[in-house]
Amino acid sequence: TLGKTDSLNQLWINLFKDTDSQSNIEKILKIAFDTELFLTPQVAIIIDELVRKGKEDSISILFPYIMKPLNEVLPIIHRWFTDYNNNQIKKLAALLLTEAKHVFEAAIDAITDLLKSDNDQMRYRAQRIFQHPERDVREPRKRISVIGEKTLMKILKNRSTKEHLPRVQTYLKTFFHDLLWDDPKVFQGLYENVTKLREKNSADGRRMFFFNDIQFINNDVWNSIMQTLQSPSHASYVEELFHSTMSLMRNDQITGENWNEFAKVLSGTDTSQFKEKLYFVSNDITTMEFILNEVCGSTNMSDETYFEIFELKLITQTAVKIEDLLQIGVALY
């Protein structure tokens, strides 16, 4: 209402006059929790002046709740990103710009860093940029993200050249897999760029995995994958796709005909270069049920040979060698 707006405007003015007033900041935070803190021109000017005066630390507690900037304040936000090296205002600027669909490569490092932020609100907003939670993965009617292909490549390079926390690596990995399923054109572009990136980084001996855990797929993306395999492919790329194909097969995402198509490629590949030698043929739930049944049904787990026997049984009953898999693959259906 108008009264609430006037009250909030006055609180921002009071903040400009006295950044040390804890009660004033608490009142603004309460409004943020109850509704939202829009970045109006007046608020942007106040924040800009306070940051210039070195008062950023005093007001940074409000940053996670500031959102939805009006178009006329975007130049100010962009200046926050380009002119300040201070982490907090720069990350807020990157977040606001990308949320407003002004996505550019230079902001990606800041957004990726926010994925490991201790602040839940900032981390959640960063995640929404990559992958909107309201998207239905069963019906990919729209793009998973506002991020374009050029910026996607920036994330790809960021992921392959920088060390990230495991949870950040996992999140980026999941994002890529969903994106690959959504868009065959993106898959094709990603494949071409990954190939170049691998050639460039081959000297350091570090293996990069991008296509080894695709969980969902449609016909268009499957056809795009098979198209990339028409030309001679490095064994490591085929092995990655083999892992994905096994997962897709176990979860009924591909048909027996699809498997036969991939098996032809596999039979012409030097599988001796593959890192893994054994592969589970059952889905994760079935494998876990087997393990639990064996453990719960055992009466003597203290025997030194127990785990050796258990491991052998697990391998023989739930896993196969690749050469055997090529022969029995169709029978798995």
Side-chain angles (χ1 to χ4, degrees), residues 131-295:
Q131 187 171 6
H132 202 285
E134 294 174 7
R135 172 182 167 274
D136 186 349
V137 296
R138 294 166 298 181
E139 298 182 24
R141 296 173 182 168
K142 58 183 179 180
R143 282 184 60 85
I144 184 176
S145 171
V146 298
I147 295 173
E149 188 169 348
K150 185 177 180 181
T151 308
L152 179 67
M153 293 306 115
K154 172 68 176 178
I155 302 171
L156 177 68
K157 293 175 183 177
N158 180 296
R159 179 185 161 216
S160 63
T161 58
K162 290 189 175 183
E163 294 294 333
H164 293 294
L165 293 174
R167 70 170 184 265
V168 176
Q169 283 283 18
T170 300
Y171 188 83
L172 293 177
K173 178 180 174 184
T174 303
F175 165 70
F176 274 111
H177 295 157
D178 273 358
L179 188 65
L180 294 180
W181 173 54
D182 270 2
D183 195 333
K185 291 183 179 179
V186 171
F187 176 88
Q188 186 66 35
L190 183 61
Y191 165 74
E192 293 170 0
N193 280 277
V194 165
T195 301
K196 294 176 184 176
L197 194 60
R198 278 181 168 147
E199 291 173 354
K200 184 178 179 181
N201 295 346
S202 59
D204 63 12
R206 181 181 177 185
R207 290 190 68 177
M208 298 179 294
F209 298 95
F210 298 99
F211 306 107
N212 61 320
D213 194 25
I214 301 173
Q215 297 293 326
F216 305 97
I217 204 163
N218 57 28
N219 286 333
D220 291 335
V221 177
W222 177 262
N223 291 335
S224 183
I225 288 175
M226 295 310 300
Q227 187 177 351
T228 65
L229 293 170
Q230 294 304 309
S231 56
S233 303
H234 194 277
S236 62
Y237 173 61
V238 179
E239 183 179 11
E240 286 186 58
L241 290 179
F242 178 49
H243 280 282
S244 286
T245 303
M246 287 291 295
S247 177
L248 293 167
M249 182 176 67
R250 289 194 299 264
N251 294 294
D252 298 322
Q253 289 289 315
I254 60 173
T255 65
E257 185 178 344
N258 293 144
W259 167 256
N260 286 337
E261 189 179 11
F262 185 79
K264 290 178 182 178
V265 175
L266 204 57
S267 62
T269 303
D270 182 7
T271 57
S272 65
Q273 298 182 43
F274 283 13
K275 183 179 179 181
E276 303 292 338
K277 305 303 178 185
L278 290 168
Y279 300 89
F280 288 108
V281 293
S282 302
N283 61 35
D284 293 343
I285 294 176
T286 303
T287 303
M288 289 302 298
E289 286 177 347
F290 174 83
I291 294 173
L292 288 173
N293 288 336
E294 286 294 318
V295 172

Side-chain angles (χ1 to χ4, degrees), residues 26 30 34 54 67 129 138 193 238 263 297 331:
E26 288 175 357
K30 186 177 187 308
D34 293 342
M67 57 185 63
I129 290 171
R138 294 166 298 181
N193 280 277
V238 179

Side-chain angles (χ1 to χ4, degrees), residues 10-111:
Q10 188 59 51
L11 288 173
W12 279 109
I13 293 171
N14 294 344
L15 180 66
F16 179 72
K17 294 177 180 178
D18 181 11
T19 56
D20 295 325
S21 174
Q22 191 63 34
S23 63
N24 193 70
I25 290 178
E26 288 175 357
K27 289 176 182 177
I28 297 177
L29 280 174
K30 186 177 187 308
I31 293 175
F33 296 151
D34 293 342
T35 55
E36 292 177 313
L37 288 183
F38 297 120
L39 189 62
T40 63
Q42 181 189 40
V43 173
I45 291 171
I46 289 174
I47 293 175
D48 192 49
E49 286 298 319
L50 291 176
V51 171
R52 286 174 182 270
K53 293 179 179 180
K55 300 290 186 178
E56 181 180 355
D57 288 343
S58 300
I59 62 172
S60 61
I61 191 173
L62 301 172
F63 288 178
Y65 309 99
I66 295 171
M67 57 185 63
K68 296 182 181 178
L70 299 177
N71 286 335
E72 52 262 45
V73 304
L74 291 177
I76 297 177
I77 300 173
H78 195 271
R79 181 161 49 76
W80 290 347
F81 184 83
T82 56
D83 291 3
Y84 294 105
N85 290 323
N86 190 299
N87 252 349
Q88 296 180 87
I89 192 66
K90 193 178 186 76
K91 287 180 180 178
L92 173 63
L95 196 57
L96 291 170
L97 289 169
T98 50
E99 284 177 336
K101 298 188 178 180
H102 291 269
V103 184
F104 54 102
E105 289 186 62
I108 290 303
D109 285 344
I111 297 299

